[in-house]
Amino acid sequence: MQIIQSVLALALTLGILVTLHEFGHFWVARRCGVKVLRFSVGFGKPLFSWYDRHGTEFAVAAIPLGGYVKMLDAREGPVPAELEDQAFTSKPPSQRIAIAAAGPVANFIFAIFAYWLISVVGVTTVAPIVGEVAPDSVAERAGLQEGMEILGVDGRQVTSWRDVNMRLLERAGEQGPISLEVSRDGARGTFSAPLNGWNLTNDEPNPLAEFGITPWRPDVPAVLGQISEDGRASMAGLQPDDRVTAVDGEPVADWFALVDIIRESPEQQLQLTVERNGQTLDVPVTPATRTLENGQDIGFVGAGVQAISWPDSVLREISYGPLAAIPNALEETWADTRLTLVAIKKMVTGLLSPTNLSGPITIARVAEASVSSGFEDFVRFLAYLSVSLGVLNLLPVPVLDGGHIVYYTIEAIRRKPVSEHAQALGLRIGMALILSLMVFALYNDLMRL
């Protein structure tokens, strides 16, 4: 069931972003007088299609990993004399540049709109208040202590742990100092420490944990919430709202202590003492085995924790008026753009491990999680992925929009097109590079399963 949900979430996510991207090409091509033959969401054989009054075929294809806009093009075959002025190749370089750039621009416009919508609707976030600080970590060297609220990183305001994570990601692999503005009991101060090459060592990075910060959280009692239908907890008869007070006769302090015990006991029967509706029950449970990426076997029973309530003092209401939300949306979009560019640069220079590159499987898992988390998380995920798609497509790599823009710019300067031989060579190099990255990203995905 989870696989089906992930596939559907991936199809929904890519369907939205690809449609927006290709619509950008389509809309500008139409405005430039280019005849569009097909607008396809997905690759392969169309599942269904229809035609508009201009003769354009709109199709939804079987492989939801991209899409394309096919235009009348003399490079792909003879163009009837009466349609020559509607061919893409008959248009001046400036119009071809505009058509090529329109897809990525549409992605950026969508991200701005998404962040504007979130800003106007308003969100409630948990303030980034430090819980534990890991010994010998950058956080400890900077002087962070439990109870401090992080207000800014490197002079930029942060209001949530997501903001802090994004700022830390930008600094991964660097040597210079990082500056943290904090408050505690009404007093404000600034702390700093050299990063000394601090980096992300895991394939699925957790900047906070690797920086040495555990976010503060309220006490979480060992009360069960959601129970998986096919999990060991359900098979043992455990139910939502059950409170686990002991395991094998030893008291359980909280939910995290219970999780630790279960993780350390794959295929070992545990005797859980449970409070249910005023009664005390003994329930035997044998955790199933799950193998992590590093080869370690852990136990799991298919049960989640009951939702907890955060005190009002750590919650922050963030909302903007329709006009005030515009600069905030622009800032959020630029922050995502900068982060994507920095990540690409650091992967190329070796400051960030290429194992952090993700493919469709990881995107599907994150998409499914964001869809399940609610409207705000899903829209944020769409916005960030849309920015990444826009940035990547603008890279000067043949077969990408950025590569075409380079060709047309050279043509505009030289007053003649780049030779077919050079374009064919660039196409082969670009295809090899893109396919290599796709295979590597898919390999990383499989290693994370």
Side-chain angles (χ1 to χ4, degrees), residues 134-285:
D136 301 321
S137 64
V138 181
E140 185 186 56
R141 293 198 301 271
L144 292 183
Q145 298 177 10
E146 181 179 355
M148 289 182 173
E149 179 178 350
I150 301 175
L151 303 177
V153 178
D154 290 333
R156 293 157 60 191
Q157 181 183 6
V158 295
T159 56
S160 66
W161 283 118
R162 176 186 179 275
D163 293 343
V164 178
N165 264 315
M166 298 285 276
R167 302 293 86 79
L168 293 180
L169 278 171
E170 290 186 24
R171 299 300 308 275
E174 298 183 11
Q175 298 289 335
I178 186 170
S179 173
L180 302 166
E181 183 182 357
V182 303
S183 70
R184 186 177 187 179
D185 299 328
R188 300 168 70 107
T190 301
F191 296 82
S192 65
L195 290 171
N196 295 333
W198 168 76
N199 216 329
L200 307 175
T201 57
N202 296 323
D203 292 346
E204 297 186 41
N206 184 341
L208 285 177
E210 299 191 51
F211 194 76
I213 298 174
T214 299
W216 179 89
R217 59 195 174 206
D219 293 335
V220 182
V223 179
L224 304 185
Q226 184 177 2
I227 306 289
S228 300
E229 293 181 2
D230 56 351
R232 297 287 178 88
S234 178
M235 294 169 58
L238 291 172
Q239 300 177 9
D241 297 329
D242 283 350
R243 178 186 291 269
V244 180
T245 59
V247 177
D248 292 337
E250 295 293 327
V252 173
D254 55 22
W255 171 259
F256 304 103
L258 175 62
V259 170
D260 289 341
I261 295 171
I262 292 174
R263 286 171 61 94
E264 294 169 1
S265 309
E267 302 301 338
Q268 299 177 32
Q269 188 178 82
L270 302 173
Q271 195 75 13
L272 272 57
T273 302
V274 175
E275 291 183 357
R276 179 188 299 165
N277 297 327
Q279 296 181 326
T280 300
L281 308 173
D282 288 328
V283 181
V285 179

Side-chain angles (χ1 to χ4, degrees), residues 114-128 149-151 157-164 312 314-322 324-325 327-329 331-332 375-376 380:
Y115 283 127
W116 176 87
L117 181 63
I118 292 173
S119 299
V120 171
V121 172
V123 296
T124 300
T125 66
V126 176
E149 179 178 350
I150 301 175
L151 303 177
Q157 181 183 6
V158 295
T159 56
S160 66
W161 283 118
R162 176 186 179 275
D163 293 343
V164 178
D312 292 340
V314 303
L315 299 179
R316 303 289 183 267
E317 298 284 345
I318 303 173
S319 63
Y320 298 83
N328 183 67
E331 183 179 344
E332 292 267 19
F375 171 79
E376 181 205 344
R380 281 189 182 279

Side-chain angles (χ1 to χ4, degrees), residues 38-120:
R38 174 182 284 179
F39 183 127
S40 178
V41 177
F43 296 117
K45 184 177 180 180
L47 298 175
F48 56 89
S49 63
W50 66 95
Y51 292 84
D52 70 0
R53 60 187 179 87
H54 300 284
T56 300
E57 179 187 11
F58 293 85
V60 176
I63 306 174
L65 296 177
Y68 61 92
V69 170
K70 184 178 181 181
M71 306 174 210
L72 188 64
D73 194 317
R75 296 170 298 184
E76 298 181 2
V79 175
E82 66 274 13
L83 296 178
E84 284 184 357
D85 63 329
Q86 297 182 48
F88 177 79
T89 42
S90 71
K91 301 302 177 181
S94 59
Q95 291 190 1
R96 281 178 275 150
I97 290 173
I99 293 170
V105 169
N107 288 123
F108 291 118
I109 292 174
F110 170 76
I112 293 170
F113 170 75
Y115 283 127
W116 176 87
L117 181 63
I118 292 173
S119 299
V120 171

Side-chain angles (χ1 to χ4, degrees), residues 329-388:
L330 292 171
E331 183 179 344
E332 292 267 19
T333 303
W334 169 239
D336 288 352
T337 303
R338 181 176 53 240
L339 177 60
T340 304
L341 291 171
V342 168
I344 293 172
K345 175 185 175 182
K346 290 183 177 180
M347 283 189 187
V348 171
T349 58
L351 291 178
L352 194 62
S353 172
T355 57
N356 290 298
L357 187 66
S358 298
I361 296 176
T362 297
I363 292 174
R365 292 166 61 189
V366 176
E368 194 274 330
S370 62
V371 169
S372 302
S373 297
F375 171 79
E376 181 205 344
D377 287 339
F378 183 55
V379 173
R380 281 189 182 279
F381 173 68
L382 280 177
Y384 178 73
L385 204 58
S386 188
V387 168
S388 298

